[in-house]
Amino acid sequence: MPMLAEIVWTVSPEIINLQLGPLHIRLAWYGLLFVSGFVVGYNVIQWVFRREQKPIEDVDTLTLYMITSTVVGMRLGHVLFYDPAYYAQHLIEVFQIWKGGYASHGAVISIMIAIWLYTRSRPQQPFLWMIDRIAMVTAFAAICIRVGNFFNQEMIGTPTNVAWAVVFTLRDSVPRHPAQLYEALCYALTFGVLLYLYRKQGERTPHGQLLGIFFIMVFGARFAVEFVKKNQVEFEDALLLNMGQILSIPLILLGAYLLIRSRRLAS
């Protein structure tokens, strides 16, 4: 039998979209997956705190820090890195997060700031100790977000004729790389590696090790996949590397530094 030329993706981004009088009920795949990432992360962090005998009641506070910093950072990252000129003229749209426009690099920065603020009053949960463990759940959340992007038919890849090419019917009729799934698979591998190392080492995990591996694997994958991903904004077409790749380089280098440092501490 001949091989399938491409996969035609016709699944709606919305699971439910009902208008019942004045009541509008809408449930989207992206929102469901986004929330799922935090639900799983909450349970993983609870397991970590129980394992290392940290105050379990702190998990609720930490989760609030994480949710707020993730949403704010993703939105401001897009505004500042990808289209600052537009939003400078349309300030009200900065707050219209339901219209889309997010950047993972912004979330990384805001999460690190939030964890620093969280740990300032908790000396038994130092910054690198905490953020190493947050790196695990962030990797899982990244999987959910990229699968959500796939359902939303956004962050699509460049045209291709590979056997697994996908036609995103909400965008066009062109077979493209499923770049969102490439990243999701890389993030799943990252989550597996981090979870394995933490289960093996536990409280003996050298500070900065998991975060360093996270930065190298996640943003190394992001840098590579961007070569088969459609640029998000027009100005990137004139660049040798697009904005996602440019922003990934310092995080990869920071990851290498943290990993080398953690090995020295462990020796």
Side-chain angles (χ1 to χ4, degrees):
M1 294 180 63
M3 292 185 63
L4 184 66
E6 69 257 348
I7 301 166
V8 179
W9 188 253
T10 60
V11 177
S12 172
E14 297 178 332
I15 306 171
I16 300 173
N17 192 348
L18 296 175
Q19 187 73 45
L20 302 175
L23 183 63
H24 187 192
I25 302 174
R26 182 177 181 271
L27 176 63
W29 285 106
Y30 185 92
L32 179 63
L33 288 160
F34 189 85
V35 171
S36 297
F38 281 105
V39 171
V40 172
Y42 179 85
N43 284 277
V44 171
I45 292 298
Q46 278 196 326
W47 167 67
V48 167
F49 272 49
R50 288 193 181 99
R51 180 178 184 179
E52 301 196 43
Q53 300 180 334
K54 303 297 182 182
I56 198 68
E57 60 272 15
D58 282 353
V59 176
D60 289 340
T61 303
L62 177 61
T63 301
L64 181 60
Y65 272 81
M66 287 295 297
I67 292 173
T68 304
S69 61
T70 299
V71 174
V72 172
M74 289 174 69
R75 183 57 173 169
L76 290 182
H78 175 78
V79 170
L80 297 174
F81 298 145
Y82 288 94
D83 214 346
Y86 174 83
Y87 287 103
Q89 300 297 320
H90 304 82
L91 287 177
I92 192 63
E93 292 190 28
V94 172
F95 306 97
Q96 296 174 348
I97 60 175
W98 58 88
K99 289 187 176 181
Y102 309 108
S104 58
H105 296 89
V108 168
I109 296 170
S110 63
I111 287 171
M112 292 181 72
I113 293 172
I115 297 303
W116 176 73
L117 292 171
Y118 167 85
T119 57
R120 285 181 65 192
S121 60
R122 295 170 175 84
Q124 299 306 313
Q125 301 171 44
F127 176 75
L128 280 177
W129 175 90
M130 187 73 261
I131 206 162
D132 270 337
R133 285 134 185 89
I134 289 297
M136 286 192 295
V137 300
T138 303
F140 185 86
I143 303 168
C144 296
I145 289 171
R146 283 297 177 259
V147 174
N149 294 143
F150 184 80
F151 275 97
N152 269 3
Q153 303 191 33
E154 60 191 2
M155 300 187 73
I156 57 178
T158 54
T160 183
N161 59 1
V162 297
W164 56 87
V166 177
V167 174
F168 295 97
T169 55
L170 290 183
R171 303 303 170 191
D172 52 37
S173 58
V174 179
R176 296 177 178 276
H177 282 286
Q180 316 96 320
L181 298 186
Y182 295 166
E183 286 191 56
L185 289 171
C186 292
Y187 300 161
L189 176 61
T190 303
F191 175 69
V193 169
L194 297 180
L195 184 61
Y196 169 79
L197 289 172
Y198 177 72
R199 285 176 63 90
K200 181 179 179 181
Q201 299 172 151
E203 64 276 5
R204 295 180 292 102
T205 303
H207 288 186
Q209 181 196 67
L210 300 184
L211 181 62
I213 293 171
F214 173 87
F215 280 158
I216 292 170
M217 293 187 69
V218 166
F219 291 103
R222 177 70 184 270
F223 185 91
V225 173
E226 288 292 333
F227 285 112
V228 294
K229 186 190 293 182
K230 183 180 178 182
N231 289 332
Q232 295 189 52
V233 289
E234 289 185 5
F235 78 82
E236 292 180 291
D237 294 336
L239 302 176
L240 180 62
L241 299 174
N242 66 24
M243 185 57 67
Q245 292 171 314
I246 293 170
L247 294 172
S248 293
I249 292 172
L251 293 175
I252 295 170
L253 295 175
L254 177 58
Y257 165 76
L258 288 169
L259 187 57
I260 293 170
R261 177 181 179 275
S262 70
R263 289 184 174 180
R264 288 176 178 170
L265 290 175
S267 60

